[in-house]
Structure formats: C-alpha cells, structure tokens
C-alpha cells in the first residue's frame, strides 16, 4: 500500500498548508496546471474569468463532496443554489428573465470546469439549464416571466421529459397523450429515466396532442403537485447518483392550456433544439471528467514506483498518457467548434453537435477508463476519484441521444445531401 | 473623508502549482505557469467590497504593479466588486527586481494622489512571503497601520482592527487615513458571479508609469541564487534517551 500511503501523506501535507476556503485536499491535484491540456488555451480573457470561477467553485464546493454525494445518493440542492447565485442556473438564458446571457461556448467552458468537481451534479445543472432555455426561447412573455427567474435562481428545479418506456431512440413515437378539454390538457402516459424526477418542480413534457409522428407532439410545462402527477421508484444507477432518476407518471393529469410552450405540433422541434445544446453540455461534462482523470493519472505516475522507478519512466505509460491528452484536446476542439456553430446558427450546427457529442463522450470515456487502468488496483477503489469519473460519464454515451442515434443524424445528413 | 479605499492586488503563481527552480538558479519558473491573485489580496478586496456594501466607504480602487498580465488580476478584483483599477506598468528587468520597497513607494504615491482614506493590502504575498509592503507603505505615508487584521470595523473617524499576534488577539484603534493588512481569517472571499465578470469589462483600468509617480525602481537588493529546499534526509532510530542525547550532541544540535 506504499503508493497509497505516499499519496495520502502528500494530500495531508497539502491540507495542512491550506485552510479556510483553500482547504482543497484531493481537489488540489485537479487544479489546472498550465500544460498542453490546459483548457484555458484559446479563450478570451472574459471566458478565462468565467472558467476560473467555475474551476474554483468546483474545487471548493463540489470536489470535496463528490464521493459522498455519490455514495449516499444525495441531491445537493444547497450547492446547486450556490452555483445559481453565481449565474450558473441559466447560463444561456436571457438576462431580462434572470439568465446570464452567455454564449454556447461560454457555457461549454463553464460546464467543462464544473465537471471536474462532480460530473453528476454538473450534468443535472446542464439539464436544468436546457429546460430554462427552452422556456426562455419558446415561451410567451407570461411563461418566461413566470418560470425563468425561478429556474435561473434555482429556487425551482426543472426536468426534461421526452423518453418513455416504449420510446427512447425512436423518440417521435412517444405515446403520452394530451387531450384538450376546455382550458386544460389532460395528460395520460408515463416518462422513463427522468433526471431530477420527483425532486424537480417543473417538468418540460413532450406529449401527443395530434396525429402520429413528430408533428403531432407538443410541449407542456407540468408543475409538481398537479393532481394526477406521480413518480416511480428512485432508480439505482451505476453513476449519476447525485441526481435522482425516476419515472414520471401522468394519470388524467390536468395541465392548464396556458402551460403549452409554443404552439401545438411544435413540441418535437422544441425538444430537438433543446437537445442540440444539451449534447454540447453533456459532451463538455465528459471533457471535464477526462481532464481531471488525466491530471490524477499524471500525478499517480509521478509518485507510484515499480521496478525501481516511477511509472512515469515507463514508455508505454508515457505514450498512453500522450494519446489520452491528444484525444482530450481533439474532443475539446470539436465540442467548442460545435458550440460556436450552434451560437451562430450555422447550417452544419446540428450535425456538428451530434459529432461533438459522439466523439467527445466516446473518447473521454476511454480516457477515464484508461486512467483507471493506469492507477492499477487503486483505480478500482472508491477512495480514488477516477472510478467515479468512469461511472459517471459512462451514461453520456447513452442519453441525450445515444451515440448510435448521433451516427444516424450524421449519416442521414451525408446521404441526403444533393 | 474621501470614502475611497485603495486595495493592492498582486499576481502570483497559483497556490496549487508545484514550484520549480530555473536551471540557472536565478529564480523560479514562471513562463507558462498558472498565475492567480495572491490569496491574501483576495481577502483584502473582499473586505473593501464589504465596506462598500455596508455603505461605509464609497469607492474601491484596485491597484496592481506589473506587466500586461497584471490587468487580469485587476479584472478579477473588478469582478469581485471593485469600482475601477489602476495598472502600474512595470515590466522586464524592472519587474524581476520589483520588491516591497518599490511597491510601497508606488502605493504611497497613489494613496496621496487618490486621497485614499484607507489602504488595504494582503498581509504578505505567497511568492516572496515578505510581509513588508503594508508596513512600509504606512511608514512612507506616516499613517497608522493595523496589520494581520482578522477583524476590521469603522467607528467614527477611526478604524478598530483586531490583530492576530503571537500571543493571541490584539485590538487597536487607529485614526484614518490608515493602512490595514489582511490576514487569513478576516473573511472568506466571494466568488465572482458571471454577471459581475461581464460588468467588470466595462469598468475602467487606468495605466500609470512609476516615473509619473516619482518612484525610482532601482533595486538595492540583488538576488544571488535561488535553490530548492534541501531534500529530506532519512532519520535514525535510537533505542534509549541516552542514545538520543548522544546523537544530538554528535550532530551539534545541543
């Protein structure tokens, strides 16, 4: 257990030298040290400031609790509200309703940094942001003023409800129905795997108001406490444990017609537009995890000795580290390009977002997995953060559109081009 | 009283970075290394902003001496709530040789020029650990000083400072204008918020040269060599107290 002992001593000494807000512990190793993988390269001064706040917040408020939140499955409401006070509750929501009005690239940079503190919590914050944006962008003035300020401050939490037990990748085949009756819609059906389900106050629900297919889908805002709204059991997951995942069940749930976002039949479009940004956000979370894992691995290689020297002298491990670094930077560049394309509403934005999600989530998972391997036996222990990064970002290859669906989007675009 | 507070902020190597000595032993490696605001300076800025929020003072001016990059540090102070910044341009050899005496002269000149009522500095910088600038600035201005502050209260025209000293806590009441240096437990610095970072962009940073303040930057100190701390040697185990005393005598420790 020699290496573990050395690492623990290193952390203890680090702890003694740091007090107050500087009590960084394990997280000190994750503070970005300038190098070829430094995520601040190429950013404007302002973006570097945003990134710094996010990194500091992640190191001080999230990283020390990341393991506990995972093991005890705690939804860190207070910490997220603190993040919201800094402007992280509605990063790309417009300022007139309480948002920070930043760009998609700024958002990607922020989530990437926050993720180094806790992937699961950051991913939930990103979903919350996506919902707030959907209401900001497609809601009427009354809806924007009613819901957005409370979401931006995280006084209330939001969940995105598209997937159903019978429709995942084939999202447009969803069955939850919304029948118009007077000035209400009556919802019947259920949603599966809803992040924040049971805890969230506002559910952005894609439901069928019309005929089959995407054009029959509308988007309704359902508030917790509405009669007929109930939740399934809390799912037990491999990762993402700081956010609850539940089925959301509608049984003759009457929702005011004034909660319709946009117009009838627009729901699928709203959902997909939300997901474009969501995919960049999730990919950004993967980037943060990979960055943190590479830092941890690098530190481990410099300390752990076998065969009379530190692992950092082993060429195979040096080369592996180089490959991990290269894949990280390549992923980051693609994600940031996609963010810029989305911001500028470029013609290739949707495809680029899909490519970025596909590439980054796959590569970053492999980076984290490889990082675990390079920790040897220690990588498998919950005392070490790397296993949590692996478990937490595994799901990024599945949700917000599986990486297979990403391939569908890209190939469809290629094969229908004239 | 002018209601203006000057806060000095220093750009230093980030506290989490592993410091490496340059091969030529002339200093530490700073190129490409992550820098940030000195933690004690962050505490100083926080205290000044708090005083402004309590409406006890009117304006917080952040000052930094250094090359172009010092502006990043001033921007951080602006994002925390400072109203405007002053960048005293010092670069190249002058910057390498910049020490507490020069900075004190600069701060003193600015304090007079800005008619500051209070100068708040961090107690020391984490790169040189000098712990001199605050004291020297007060001496040059012939102002009272409250150093190692763990609590600062403005009462009437005076400042009550609770100081952390070796024996415990000492409370002093000093007249304004005064110099205060911030110690660790004075406050917990706030995070800059995203809206404040964006507002900071619009705040002004004035550029000033040391010569305009009548400050001569020639150094009276020359750094001969910088070395890493000696490698920790292995200890020896002894069986009895007599052995221990014997060994201590051998090494000349007693």
């Amino acid at each position: 257990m020699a290496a573990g002992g050395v690492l623990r001593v290193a952390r203890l000494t680090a702890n003694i030298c740091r007090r107050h807000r500087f009590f960084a512990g394990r997280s000190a190793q994750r503070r970005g040290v300038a190098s070829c993988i430094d995520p601040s390269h190429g950013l404007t001064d302002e973006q570097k400031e945003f990134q710094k706040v996010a990194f500091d917040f992640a190191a001080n408020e999230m990283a020390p609790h990341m393991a506990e939140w995972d093991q005890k499955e705690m939804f860190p409401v207070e910490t997220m509200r603190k993040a919201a006070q800094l402007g992280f509750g509605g990063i790309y929501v417009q300022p007139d309703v309480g948002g920070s009005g930043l760009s998609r690239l700024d958002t990607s940079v922020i989530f990437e940094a926050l993720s180094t503190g806790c992937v699961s919590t950051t991913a939930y914050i990103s979903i919350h942001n996506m919902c707030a944006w959907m209401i900001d962008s497609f809601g009427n003035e009354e809806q924007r003023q009613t819901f957005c300020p409370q979401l931006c401050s995280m006084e209330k939490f939001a969940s995105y409800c598209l997937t159903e037990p019978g429709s995942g990748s084939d999202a447009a085949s969803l069955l939850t129905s919304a029948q118009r009756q007077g000035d209400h819609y009556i919802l019947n059906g259920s949603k599966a795997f809803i992040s924040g389900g049971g805890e969230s106050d506002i559910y952005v629900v894609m439901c069928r108001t019309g005929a089959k297919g995407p054009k029959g889908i509308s988007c309704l805002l359902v508030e917790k406490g509405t009669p007929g709204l109930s939740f399934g059991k809390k799912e037990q997951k491999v990762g993402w444990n700081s956010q609850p995942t539940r089925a959301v069940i509608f049984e003759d749930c009457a929702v005011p017609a004034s909660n319709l976002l946009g117009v009838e039949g627009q729901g699928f479009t709203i959902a997909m537009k939300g997901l474009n940004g969501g995919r960049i956000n999730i990919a950004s979370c993967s980037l943060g995890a990979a960055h943190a894992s590479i830092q941890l691995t690098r530190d481990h290689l410099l300390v752990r000795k076998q065969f009379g020297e530190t692992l950092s002298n082993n060429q195979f491990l040096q080369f592996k580290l180089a490959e991990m670094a290269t894949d990280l930077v390549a992923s980051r560049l693609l994600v940031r390009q996609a963010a810029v394309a989305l911001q500028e509403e470029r013609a290739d934005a949707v495809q680029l977002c899909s490519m970025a999600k596909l590439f980054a989530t796959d590569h970053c998972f492999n980076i984290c997995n490889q990082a675990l391997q390079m920790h040897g036996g220690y990588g498998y222990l919950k005392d070490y953060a790397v296993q949590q990064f692996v478990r937490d970002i595994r799901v990024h290859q599945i949700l917000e559109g599986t990486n297979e669906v990403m391939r569908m989007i890209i190939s469809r675009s290629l094969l229908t081009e004239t | 009283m002018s209601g203006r507070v000057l806060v000095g902020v220093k750009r230093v190597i980030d506290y989490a970075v592993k410091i490496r000595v340059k091969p030529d032993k002339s200093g530490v490696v700073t190129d490409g290394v992550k820098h940030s605001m000195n933690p004690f300076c962050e505490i100083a800025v926080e205290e000044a902003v708090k005083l402004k929020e309590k409406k006890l003072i009117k304006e917080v001016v952040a000052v930094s001496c250094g090359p172009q990059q010092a502006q990043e540090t001033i921007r951080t102070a602006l994002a925390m709530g400072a109203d405007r910044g002053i960048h005293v341009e010092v670069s190249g050899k002058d910057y390498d040789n910049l020490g507490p005496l020069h900075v004190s002269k600069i701060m003193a000149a600015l304090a007079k020029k800005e008619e500051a009522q209070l100068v708040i500095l961090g107690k020391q910088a984490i790169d040189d650990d000098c712990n001199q600038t605050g004291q020297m600035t007060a001496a040059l201005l012939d102002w009272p000083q409250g150093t190692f502050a763990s609590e600062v209260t403005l009462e009437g025209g005076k400042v009550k400072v609770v100081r952390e000293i070796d024996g415990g806590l000492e409370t002093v009441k000093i007249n304004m204008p005064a110099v205060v240096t911030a110690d660790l437990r004075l406050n917990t610095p706030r995070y800059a918020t995203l809206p404040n970072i964006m507002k900071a962009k619009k705040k002004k940073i004035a550029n000033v040269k040391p010569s305009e303040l009548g400050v001569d930057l020639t150094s009276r100190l020359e750094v001969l060599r910088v070395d890493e701390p000696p490698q920790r040697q292995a200890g020896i185990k002894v069986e009895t107290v007599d052995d221990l005393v014997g060994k201590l005598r051998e090494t000349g420790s007693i």
Side-chain angles (χ1 to χ4, degrees):
Chain A
M1 278 293 194
V6 171
L7 278 171
R8 281 202 190 98
V9 166
R11 274 198 291 256
L12 269 174
T13 332
N15 288 353
I16 290 162
C17 297
R18 294 153 181 44
R19 282 172 289 172
H20 230 199
R21 201 186 112 198
F22 312 124
F23 188 95
R26 191 203 279 170
S27 57
Q29 294 164 312
R30 267 181 252 147
R31 272 179 83 88
V33 174
S35 69
C36 54
I37 58 168
D38 189 329
S40 67
H41 289 316
L43 297 180
T44 64
D45 282 345
E46 199 185 40
Q47 284 164 340
K48 287 183 193 173
E49 282 288 334
F50 298 146
Q51 187 181 60
K52 180 181 180 311
V53 179
F55 261 125
D56 286 348
F57 189 85
N60 297 318
E61 309 287 336
M62 296 168 83
H65 308 290
M66 168 176 143
E68 192 192 6
W69 291 341
D70 172 63
Q71 297 204 349
K72 298 196 180 152
E73 296 186 13
M74 295 164 65
F75 190 50
V77 171
E78 283 321 309
T79 305
M80 289 194 286
R81 286 198 170 130
K82 266 194 203 166
Q85 271 171 21
L86 302 184
F88 295 151
I91 302 176
Y92 48 110
V93 170
Q94 293 175 76
D96 68 325
V97 285
S100 301
L102 299 187
S103 72
R104 299 301 185 135
L105 177 54
D106 299 331
T107 307
S108 169
V109 166
I110 289 168
F111 284 141
E112 184 183 351
L114 283 178
S115 219
T116 59
C118 178
V119 171
S120 170
T121 307
T122 306
Y124 174 74
I125 295 175
S126 79
I127 292 170
H128 175 94
N129 267 263
M130 176 172 72
C131 294
W133 175 83
M134 286 160 73
I135 301 173
D136 175 37
S137 301
F138 296 99
N140 57 38
E141 212 34 52
E142 204 194 311
Q143 289 163 335
R144 291 178 75 240
Q145 296 294 343
T146 307
F147 296 108
C148 290
Q150 295 173 326
L151 291 178
C152 290
S153 68
M154 283 193 165
E155 186 190 326
K156 299 211 166 154
F157 291 98
S159 285
Y160 178 93
C161 305
L162 175 65
T163 298
E164 296 180 359
S167 57
S169 293
D170 189 8
S173 69
L174 64 84
L175 293 175
T176 298
S177 63
Q179 297 243 358
R180 182 73 186 252
Q181 274 182 28
D183 55 4
H184 280 80
Y185 284 96
I186 311 299
L187 264 63
N188 274 290
S190 64
K191 297 292 182 185
F193 301 132
I194 302 306
S195 301
E199 296 283 340
S200 290
D201 308 282
I202 296 168
Y203 296 83
V204 182
V205 181
M206 272 47 79
C207 46
R208 192 164 297 288
T209 48
K212 267 176 25 173
K215 295 213 177 72
I217 295 172
S218 302
C219 182
L220 275 169
L221 303 177
V222 184
E223 295 179 73
K224 190 168 165 198
T226 308
L229 173 68
S230 62
F231 306 99
K233 76 172 194 347
K234 185 170 165 196
E235 308 287 7
Q236 288 184 294
K237 310 188 295 289
V238 165
W240 270 36
N241 288 319
S242 73
Q243 33 164 316
T245 304
R246 290 188 174 91
V248 177
I249 303 156
F250 308 97
E251 293 167 300
D252 290 330
C253 178
V255 176
S258 56
N259 280 15
L260 178 71
L261 212 56
V263 301
E264 278 193 21
Q266 198 186 5
F268 197 70
T269 305
I270 296 174
M272 292 305 110
K273 291 212 155 148
L275 280 183
N276 287 331
R279 286 167 187 161
I280 294 175
N281 298 340
I282 287 295
S284 305
C285 293
S286 289
L287 292 177
H291 179 83
S293 298
I294 292 177
Q295 301 253 100
L296 289 169
T297 305
R298 178 185 148 274
D299 292 343
H300 180 76
L301 294 183
L302 289 169
V303 165
R304 173 70 174 177
K305 279 186 168 166
Q306 285 288 266
F307 306 111
E309 44 181 25
T310 54
L311 296 186
S312 55
N313 284 332
N314 179 297
Q315 190 180 61
F316 180 82
L317 296 176
Q318 291 169 354
F319 283 10
K320 261 286 160 228
L321 197 66
E323 286 164 12
M324 288 156 70
T326 307
D327 284 345
L328 171 63
V329 176
S331 301
R332 188 184 285 149
L333 288 172
L334 184 47
V335 171
R336 288 184 178 177
Q337 255 307 298
V340 170
L342 188 62
Q343 185 71 36
E344 295 173 359
E345 297 177 2
R346 270 181 11 202
D348 61 339
V350 172
Q351 289 73 30
L352 214 48
C353 291
S354 304
M355 288 176 173
K357 196 263 190 191
L358 166 62
F359 193 90
T361 56
D362 275 350
H363 279 80
C364 290
F365 178 76
N366 292 337
I367 290 170
C368 292
N369 196 26
Q370 186 62 42
L372 191 156
Q373 181 75 9
M374 287 157 89
H375 275 74
Y378 301 102
Y380 207 61
L381 302 182
K382 287 202 171 174
D383 297 293
Y384 290 74
V386 70
Q387 44 75 39
Q388 192 174 337
F389 285 120
V390 172
R391 287 187 291 109
D392 278 342
I393 68 167
R394 177 61 183 87
V395 73
H396 295 195
Q397 296 168 282
I398 300 172
L399 41 65
E400 304 227 2
T402 60
N403 286 2
E404 288 72 30
V405 168
M406 296 303 104
R407 290 173 171 90
M408 274 167 56
I409 295 174
I410 298 162
S411 58
R412 188 180 303 158
S413 154
L414 287 166
L415 293 170
T416 54
E417 245 169 29
T418 46
Chain B
M1 291 255 93
S2 71
R4 189 170 296 132
V5 173
L6 230 58
V7 181
V9 293
K10 186 179 182 186
R11 180 173 180 266
V12 298
I13 295 180
D14 188 273
Y15 75 84
V17 168
K18 285 202 185 88
I19 309 291
R20 282 174 307 147
V21 176
K22 282 199 254 196
D24 65 359
K25 307 256 183 199
S26 63
V28 300
V29 178
T30 52
D31 273 342
V33 170
K34 183 169 166 149
H35 283 66
S36 40
M37 188 190 290
N38 182 38
F40 295 106
C41 298
E42 280 182 1
I43 297 174
V45 173
E46 175 65 25
E47 197 60 22
V49 173
K50 270 200 162 105
L51 288 174
K52 193 175 87 158
E53 285 171 347
K54 289 190 206 151
K55 300 212 182 345
L56 294 169
I57 56 135
K58 294 205 205 78
E59 194 187 22
V60 178
V61 183
V63 180
S64 194
C65 307
Q68 187 60 24
Q69 296 95 317
Q71 297 211 359
E72 288 167 16
T73 313
I74 299 176
R75 288 257 167 251
T76 306
L78 295 175
M80 284 173 72
D83 298 292
R84 59 185 167 89
I86 299 177
H87 172 211
V88 182
E89 293 168 9
V90 181
S91 46
K93 269 262 155 267
D94 283 339
Y95 182 61
D96 292 337
N97 294 331
L98 194 68
L101 186 55
H102 307 118
V103 177
S104 308
K105 289 178 178 172
I106 291 170
M107 288 304 298
L110 283 172
K112 282 206 274 244
K113 187 162 172 247
E114 296 285 337
E115 292 173 343
Q117 147 184 355
L118 214 53
V119 174
I120 309 182
L121 304 172
K123 72 169 180 182
Q124 66 196 60
I126 60 172
D127 51 7
D128 54 21
D129 284 333
C130 283
N131 191 342
Q132 296 169 11
T133 307
Q135 292 85 337
M136 284 185 185
T137 307
L140 289 167
L141 287 164
D142 198 24
W143 285 6
Q145 57 183 261
T147 54
F148 309 108
S150 65
E151 213 183 293
V152 171
T153 329
L154 262 54
E155 284 174 6
K158 299 184 195 269
V159 192
K160 192 174 86 171
V161 180
V162 177
R163 310 178 56 230
E164 292 199 1
I165 60 173
D166 289 343
L169 296 173
E170 179 193 51
T171 307
V172 296
K173 214 174 203 172
I174 55 181
N175 292 329
M176 284 196 279
V179 174
V180 170
T181 71
D183 207 327
L184 191 62
R185 279 161 280 274
L186 179 58
N187 59 50
T188 306
R190 64 194 61 195
Y191 296 105
T193 65
L194 297 183
N196 282 348
I197 292 172
M198 292 188 295
K199 279 192 212 137
K201 251 195 337 197
K202 303 194 186 93
K203 294 181 182 174
K204 290 207 175 345
I205 300 181
N207 287 314
V208 174
K209 291 200 179 52
S211 50
E212 292 168 41
L213 299 170
V215 174
D216 166 28
L217 290 180
T218 23
S219 188
R220 285 141 179 85
L221 289 175
E222 189 193 333
V223 172
L224 296 176
R225 208 175 73 192
V226 176
D227 278 313
E228 296 219 347
Q231 287 278 28
R232 225 186 120 164
Q233 300 294 336
I236 333 166
K237 265 190 168 153
V238 292
E239 296 296 309
T240 69
V241 174
D242 287 327
D243 281 349
L244 177 61
V245 174
K247 281 266 183 275
L248 286 172
R249 280 222 176 88
E250 254 176 54
T251 57
S253 304
I254 50 167

